[in-house]
Amino acid sequence: MKTKIDQFFGITKSGSTYKREFTGGLTAFLAMSYVIFVNPIILGQAGMPQDAVFMSTILSSAVSMLIMGLWAKFPLGLAPCMSMNAFFAYSVVLQMGKSWQEALACVLVSSILFIILALSGLRSKIIQAIPVSVKQAGTVGLGIFIAFVSFKNSGIIVPDEGMFITFGGFHDPNVLIAFFGILTAAFFLVRKNQYAVFLGMIGAALCGLFIRFGASMDWFSLSESAVASLPQLPAGSPVVLPTVPMESMLNETFLVAFKNLDKMLSADSIIIILTFLFLDFFGTATTLSAAATQVSDIKNENFENNTRIYSADAIGTFFGSIFGTSNLSTYIESVSGIIAGARTGLMSVVVAGLFLLSTFFYPILSLVTPAVTTPAMVVIGIFMMQNITNIRWREGFEEIIPAFLTIVMMPLTGSIALGLVLGFLSYEICMIFAKRTAEISPFMHIISLISVAYLFTL
């Protein structure tokens, strides 16, 4: 059996060992496991039942990683993408007014399109049509948007009549919790610890528990509402059979996407579907590039033409929409498993198994509040901000203006889709001004027309 597994995954052939694959799997799991607790919080703000999202997050992630490991045979982890769940909750549901059920149907359709495009080769042409500066600016804008939302949800930023927003103040215990978690994550980031995101959340949770204990001992004077917002230990055992979240998923989110497919022909739904599709493209392409830099013997492989990897990502999103969560994508954090020595799909299978085991730790969700998730969101924003160096700042204002509009309009308007649309349109217009229309891809013209249609839906 051991020999057959070795031959199937090519462990010895790739220069790896079973120990490296399992170590890499554990490393990748710890680095990306925060999504199990963060995703229900974010999608919960869109009105989705958190118990159901908890279970759908785990099941869809496990399925997609089994596909990645057993079919694509590549060491990557997949889970609901942080930028796309933010788009799902804050833009599609809260801003555009779609129900979360309709939003899940949009995710379902986008996954089917992604599968078709991945298998047909059109996916690569569409990605190549979008200018590099706009793609990179989109990543940066998403990072700022995610951090901004987490600051707002934790109370670090509050509304202000004079300046629109202002600092919330340290009188709010959640602000203290969030900053303590950010400092904890910063400490481990500086020390190059791949578990910085996970440990930042641990630090924030411990800080919250300390404040709750202090309030119960009358060390701190807090209102009942402030105490209720703090992290708390599970009422019973932290390890239980996941019957409650499983029943919630089966009763409330499972197959809901199919029941709302009849609403997918409206102009705004089409724009949402295409935006999900674009975001999935960018997230996967970025992660594969990062993975390529960590595997020296396959640096020259053209990851963008690896049909199985992109198909695994798309199929994972398909299952995610069925179970009840937003788009899945390959996780940059899972590259930590490659850094730890993993080289084959066995690593992905190990991570999938660990995700399934985590269903038994459902009660720990009581520890995870918006303030506890803030360190994770901020670190993600930091990682995404680094893409700003890839923008072509020295190649003319026809590159600078679209990049700038994309970056600033996402957080300032609270719309990821609008930021991308303005980036696409301003690029096309600026290239016309620069008399460089011959350099614009025909696919980009189509994207621009869709963008114009989107503006008429606002």
Side-chain angles (χ1 to χ4, degrees):
M1 178 63 71
K2 188 175 181 180
T3 302
K4 289 183 178 179
I5 294 175
D6 190 336
Q7 292 175 346
F8 179 81
F9 290 106
I11 298 173
T12 302
K13 183 179 179 180
S14 65
S16 184
T17 64
Y18 280 98
K19 182 179 179 180
R20 286 185 182 180
E21 297 301 312
F22 279 93
T23 300
L26 177 61
T27 300
F29 170 76
L30 291 175
M32 61 186 289
S33 59
Y34 66 87
V35 68
I36 297 171
F37 305 106
V38 176
N39 197 47
I41 293 289
I42 295 176
L43 295 186
Q45 293 176 39
M48 294 190 69
Q50 291 191 21
D51 294 351
V53 177
F54 172 81
M55 183 57 67
S56 61
T57 297
I58 291 173
L59 292 181
S60 58
S61 299
V63 168
S64 60
M65 283 185 281
L66 287 173
I67 295 170
M68 179 67 76
L70 298 174
W71 185 47
K73 299 182 183 179
F74 196 77
L76 284 175
L78 300 94
C81 179
M82 286 295 104
S83 60
M84 283 183 274
N85 59 13
F87 174 68
F88 183 106
Y90 306 124
S91 292
V92 177
V93 177
L94 297 180
Q95 187 179 60
M96 300 179 69
K98 290 284 187 181
S99 68
W100 62 262
Q101 292 90 341
E102 291 177 273
L104 279 180
C106 290
V107 173
L108 173 62
V109 176
S110 73
S111 70
I112 295 172
L113 292 175
F114 197 3
I115 293 172
I116 294 171
L117 293 173
L119 295 175
S120 67
L122 284 174
R123 171 200 51 77
S124 180
K125 294 180 180 178
I126 293 174
I127 291 178
Q128 292 168 10
I130 299 171
V132 172
S133 292
V134 175
K135 285 190 283 191
Q136 298 298 333
T139 301
V140 175
L142 284 170
I144 298 173
F145 177 83
I146 289 171
F148 179 83
V149 170
S150 68
F151 288 154
K152 174 181 175 293
N153 291 339
S154 61
I156 293 176
I157 291 175
V158 295
D160 179 76
E161 290 185 4
M163 295 298 295
F164 304 108
I165 57 172
T166 188
F167 177 56
F170 288 111
H171 61 276
D172 184 346
N174 287 297
V175 174
L176 289 169
I177 292 170
F179 271 115
F180 187 84
I182 292 170
L183 287 174
T184 303
F187 173 82
F188 289 105
L189 276 177
V190 169
R191 291 178 173 268
K192 296 180 172 57
N193 189 307
Q194 64 259 35
Y195 310 130
V197 172
F198 182 78
L199 294 171
M201 289 181 61
I202 293 292
L206 291 175
C207 179
L209 290 175
F210 174 77
I211 293 175
R212 176 179 281 275
F213 177 75
S216 68
M217 299 295 291
D218 294 327
W219 297 347
F220 314 121
S221 178
L222 299 176
S223 65
E224 290 186 8
S225 60
V227 173
S229 67
L230 298 174
Q232 59 181 323
L233 291 171
S237 171
V239 183
V240 297
L241 290 173
T243 52
V244 172
M246 179 62 78
E247 289 176 359
S248 178
M249 185 196 75
L250 293 175
N251 294 330
E252 300 182 73
T253 64
F254 187 63
L255 298 179
V256 165
F258 286 103
K259 299 175 183 178
N260 288 269
L261 287 176
D262 59 329
K263 303 172 184 176
M264 294 299 100
L265 295 178
S266 62
D268 56 346
S269 293
I270 293 172
I271 292 295
I272 292 168
I273 290 167
L274 292 175
T275 304
F276 275 133
L277 195 60
F278 293 151
L279 293 177
D280 220 347
F281 282 166
F282 302 153
T284 305
T286 301
T287 305
L288 291 178
S289 297
T293 64
Q294 300 300 325
V295 186
S296 57
D297 54 337
I298 55 173
K299 273 187 177 180
N300 295 325
E301 181 174 340
N302 188 346
F303 284 95
E304 287 195 354
N305 289 328
N306 193 317
T307 301
R308 290 193 173 191
I309 291 178
Y310 277 91
S311 298
D313 189 273
I315 296 170
T317 295
F318 176 77
F319 279 102
S321 66
I322 292 174
F323 291 131
T325 187
S326 54
N327 297 59
L328 278 76
S329 182
T330 45
Y331 258 52
I332 188 67
E333 293 87 346
S334 68
V335 175
S336 61
I338 298 175
I339 296 173
R343 290 293 181 273
T344 75
L346 180 58
M347 186 205 90
S348 300
V349 174
V350 171
V351 182
L354 292 173
F355 260 75
L356 290 174
L357 284 175
S358 66
T359 58
F360 296 96
F361 295 90
Y362 158 73
I364 295 178
L365 271 175
S366 63
L367 282 168
V368 185
T369 66
V372 171
T373 64
T374 295
M377 306 293 273
V378 170
V379 171
I380 291 167
I382 292 170
F383 284 142
M384 298 177 83
M385 176 64 77
Q386 296 178 62
N387 287 54
I388 201 168
T389 59
N390 298 326
I391 296 173
R392 297 170 176 173
W393 297 110
R394 299 181 182 276
E395 295 192 21
F397 284 100
E398 55 268 40
E399 296 278 355
I400 296 172
I401 293 172
F404 174 78
L405 287 175
T406 302
I407 291 172
V408 300
M409 293 305 284
M410 282 187 184
L412 293 183
T413 64
S415 173
I416 296 169
L418 182 59
L420 285 173
V421 162
L422 292 176
F424 296 150
L425 289 176
S426 60
Y427 174 79
E428 182 109 5
I429 293 170
C430 287
M431 289 294 281
I432 292 173
F433 290 163
K435 298 180 179 180
R436 296 173 57 186
T437 53
E439 300 176 36
I440 304 175
S441 166
F443 280 100
M444 191 63 211
H445 294 316
I446 297 173
I447 293 171
S448 295
L449 288 174
I450 295 171
S451 298
V452 171
Y454 170 77
L455 292 178
F456 280 101
T457 67
L458 299 179

